[in-house]
Amino acid sequence: MFSYEQAEFVYEPYPICLIKNVLPDGLYDTLSRAYPDISLFEYKPKLGDKYSLSERNNKETYLRFIEANPEWARVRDYIKSPAFIEQTLGFLTAHNVDLGLGDYAVRRLNGKAKASLASRLARRTELSARFEFSMMGGQGGHIRPHTDELTKLVTLVISMVQPGEWDTGWGGGTQTCLPKDRSLIYNQVNRYLEFDQVDLLENYDFNPNQCLLFIKTYNSWHQVSPIHAPPNSPMRRSLTINIERLT
């Protein structure tokens, strides 16, 4: 379902990869047009200024939407399959990013869970994957600088706007950054900072049918600066996929 052929890696200060044309054109067009309405989302001011719909935010609404939309249900089923995790981890290993997971098991979950007793006794890693519909408004939508939750291993952010719908001059790109106070670089527990507390490193424009993949590390600082789009502009719509370790 996903193509990682058009991939460009940057390895410092942590591995991040821009992948163009990640979905077949027809599927991308269908999914972006069938993106859920903002009325289904939960507002998340703690993270910045964004809206979320997922198995953790408005779970029942999320499940009803997925089951009512066959194409999105197919995407959900693939993301939760061993094939998706194997494809993604194999792609990373082939580009010198080996997470050292060894023998792992994949569990399909619809919420939070702990690793099974059998896996803990066998010291075998259990992985799961989930996705979130995420939107930010054109007037000030943002995500504050952070490094992601401790259980996350890999994050993929896939844009969900139609060609010509989003002007990159408005902003909305994902940016890598580092704290100005370098003593704060180590951030395994995902402390958030303010925009004026970080130095920008790189900006990845928000373009249709692209994926930004990055690895959770102690210094995987990233953000989305406040968006400045004209009134009545579209929302910045994306699909955020996480591969996580169960503990």
Side-chain angles (χ1 to χ4, degrees), residues 154-194:
V154 183
T155 296
L156 303 91
V157 180
I158 300 177
S159 58
M160 278 288 146
V161 292
Q162 288 284 305
E165 186 178 18
W166 188 265
D167 185 338
T168 58
W170 301 339
T174 300
Q175 299 160 329
T176 56
C177 55
L178 285 177
K180 292 179 179 178
D181 179 353
R182 295 299 198 253
S183 71
L184 301 177
I185 284 178
Y186 190 90
N187 191 37
Q188 193 75 355
V189 297
N190 197 31
R191 174 180 59 253
Y192 278 69
L193 293 179
E194 301 302 326

Side-chain angles (χ1 to χ4, degrees), residues 85 105-107 109 126-130 242-246:
I85 292 179
V106 176
R107 288 178 60 188
L109 303 174
E126 286 191 347
L127 304 177
S128 67
R130 62 184 176 91
N242 297 121
I243 298 176
E244 301 176 305
R245 184 200 310 264
L246 303 186

Side-chain angles (χ1 to χ4, degrees), residues 98-115:
D98 188 341
L99 300 183
L101 298 173
D103 178 31
Y104 63 84
V106 176
R107 288 178 60 188
R108 175 172 175 145
L109 303 174
N110 288 312
K112 292 184 177 181
K114 294 184 177 181

Side-chain angles (χ1 to χ4, degrees), residues 9-17 92 97 213-217:
F9 268 88
V10 172
Y11 293 91
E12 292 181 335
Y14 59 91
I16 189 165
C17 178
L92 290 171
V97 182
L213 180 156
F214 47 92
I215 309 301
K216 157 67 181 180
T217 68

